[in-house]
Structure formats: structure tokens, C-alpha cells
Amino acid sequence: MSSEPQHAERPPFDVSDAEIDEALAACDGDPRTTIRALLVGQAYLEHEMTRIQADASSGFRRRRHALGDGA
């Protein structure tokens, strides 16, 4: 049996007040700095998703071409 408390299932995009407080605390309570940090993090993740999708797409095309399934 795990010693960690069991967390109730939450919707995937639900954010608790404690998580908001933690984000604010990480930025010394400055809401503008917190928002900036979150937006930078979001932009980074979007950039990475675009890069990964492009890599996956080119890899898929190379695999299809190697198998003789298309261009």
C-alpha cells in the first residue's frame, strides 16, 4: 500500500487554488511575472509540439517511402 495520499480524479485542465498559489509563490507573489512565466511556458510547449509533429511527419514519410508505399 502506498504512503502517498490518493488524489481524486480531476478533469485534465482543472487547476486548484493551491496550484495557483504555488505558481504565484514561485514568482514572489507578482501576478504579472506569474502570467509572463506561464505564457512563456505555453509558447515553449507549443513550439516543441510543432517541432515534434514535423519530425514525426517527416519520419512517417521516410518510412512510407522506404517501404515503397508512396512518395
Side-chain angles (χ1 to χ4, degrees):
M1 191 135 166
S2 176
S3 62
E4 293 182 29
Q6 294 294 324
H7 296 284
E9 288 293 319
R10 295 188 334 195
F13 301 108
D14 188 23
V15 178
S16 70
D17 285 342
E19 291 168 315
I20 294 169
D21 292 341
E22 185 178 330
L24 284 164
C27 295
D28 297 324
D30 184 344
R32 290 186 64 83
T33 301
T34 304
I35 293 168
R36 181 175 286 112
L38 294 171
L39 290 173
V40 166
Q42 179 179 349
Y44 171 78
L45 292 174
E46 289 173 356
H47 172 78
E48 285 297 294
M49 284 183 59
T50 300
R51 186 185 61 78
I52 289 168
Q53 287 172 341
D55 288 349
S57 294
S58 64
F60 178 74
R61 285 192 304 271
R62 280 193 306 273
R63 176 77 173 146
R64 285 191 60 192
H65 182 68
L67 293 174
D69 290 342

